[in-house]
Amino acid sequence: MRSGSNTAKPKLACEIAADRVLVGRLADDGRTLAACAARELAPGSVVPDLVEGNLRQRDAVRAAVEETLNSVAGRTHDVIAVVPDAAVRVVLLEFDTLPTDSEEAASVVRFRLKKSLPFDVDKARVSYHAQKLKDGVRVVAAVAVASVVEDYEAAFRDAGFSPGVILPSMLAALGAAEGERPTLVVKVDARTTSIAILNGDQLQLFRTLENMRGVTITGDQLAEDVYPSVVFFQDTYHLNIEKIFVAGISDTGGAAPALRAQTGAEVQELVNASQLGLSTGGSVPRWRMAGVVGALIS
């Protein structure tokens, strides 16, 4: 989702999560972060939701955004805003063809989305990316109620920054994943578990599940949640998962045996230490930085 007319991709990213604000600034090499920071939020400050207002303590969220961004921003004020997965619906749609005219294509996508959403698409922001298939087109559409997006935008603007690009956390995180061969990406946060499967550098499956256990979810529980998506992918495409990336839990090693038992695939953290750079400090939890890192290095 884009907001405003700037076309250059910002070198700052800031994720507003349910429990904290995380930020990063891209280094000149385009592959690592030059600086990053995080600040915890009081419980209930942000309550991710598709329809209701998310920012329940606006002043506290704005203050956290302002403090963390100012600590790494330098002179730039353009930022990629990363918002919770529970605030955005991501839908995969398949078409035989799409109109070449962008406005007509957007209308077609909106029409199809009406059947998939628990809210009025006419009151929503819609952004989409079309992937060419052998026999058609697959559209990856991100949809959010306009008032929900505007709340997040206001937090950045009130802090003195311009949110030129807005991404749900999991779509942002996918920028850090290699997806040439069948790859499962699992990202946990305080309220959801998001699952994506990439193959041939295309998104072939995307699901966001309610997760009442939050980041304390065990490896066995995570594998149980992921299993139906893995089976669906295997049955649909007749392919096996070859690699698994995990983000959002502190003990990826604890989840690896259960995920590996299901698929036989190698399991690793989505974000590695080298991507956070040498000067970013030790106070930022690497396992929480997938949205910020992926948004910047994609």
Side-chain angles (χ1 to χ4, degrees), residues 130-206:
Q131 302 176 154
K132 291 184 178 180
L133 306 175
K134 290 182 179 179
D135 54 355
V137 179
R138 179 185 296 117
V139 165
V140 183
V143 196
V145 172
S147 60
V148 170
V149 176
E150 289 161 4
D151 270 354
Y152 284 104
E153 289 176 334
F156 287 97
R157 292 199 176 100
D158 290 348
F161 291 85
S162 176
V165 181
I166 300 167
L167 293 169
S169 185
M170 181 56 156
L171 285 187
L174 292 181
E178 298 175 0
E180 179 60 34
R181 51 192 174 131
T183 300
L184 170 68
V185 183
V186 185
K187 184 175 183 293
V188 177
D189 65 26
R191 297 174 65 91
T192 60
T193 296
S194 294
I195 301 161
I197 297 179
L198 305 168
N199 185 39
D201 290 323
Q202 292 194 341
L203 183 60
Q204 295 190 323
L205 182 146
F206 191 100

Side-chain angles (χ1 to χ4, degrees), residues 190-231:
R191 297 174 65 91
T192 60
T193 296
S194 294
I195 301 161
I197 297 179
L198 305 168
N199 185 39
D201 290 323
Q202 292 194 341
L203 183 60
Q204 295 190 323
L205 182 146
F206 191 100
R207 289 175 178 168
T208 298
L209 311 175
E210 186 177 8
N211 171 23
M212 301 305 294
R213 309 176 191 96
V215 297
T216 64
I217 191 169
T218 67
D220 287 340
Q221 290 166 338
L222 187 61
E224 182 180 342
D225 287 349
V226 166
Y227 184 66
S229 296
V230 171
V231 171

Side-chain angles (χ1 to χ4, degrees), residues 221-242:
Q221 290 166 338
L222 187 61
E224 182 180 342
D225 287 349
V226 166
Y227 184 66
S229 296
V230 171
V231 171
F232 176 83
F233 173 79
Q234 292 173 333
D235 289 348
T236 302
Y237 295 101
H238 307 291
L239 295 168
N240 292 320
I241 299 296
E242 297 183 27

Side-chain angles (χ1 to χ4, degrees), residues 64 69 78 85 91 106 119 121 123-125 148 152 175 183 199 209 237 241 257 262 290 297:
L69 278 172
D78 293 326
D85 290 315
V91 183
F119 51 82
V121 71
K123 298 179 180 178
R125 296 264 194 101
V148 170
Y152 284 104
T183 300
N199 185 39
L209 311 175
Y237 295 101
I241 299 296
Q262 283 184 353
I297 71 172

Side-chain angles (χ1 to χ4, degrees), residues 71-126:
S71 71
V72 305
R75 296 181 179 180
T76 183
H77 290 275
D78 293 326
V79 61
I80 301 171
V82 181
V83 302
D85 290 315
V88 181
R89 177 66 58 87
V90 176
V91 183
L92 302 188
L93 303 170
E94 295 198 0
F95 299 87
D96 293 331
T97 60
L98 270 182
T100 55
D101 180 83
S102 59
E103 289 189 8
E104 290 183 19
S107 295
V108 171
V109 171
R110 279 182 173 271
F111 179 77
R112 279 282 299 275
L113 284 169
K114 286 185 177 182
K115 303 175 182 179
S116 308
L117 301 173
F119 51 82
D120 185 354
V121 71
D122 293 330
K123 298 179 180 178
R125 296 264 194 101
V126 179

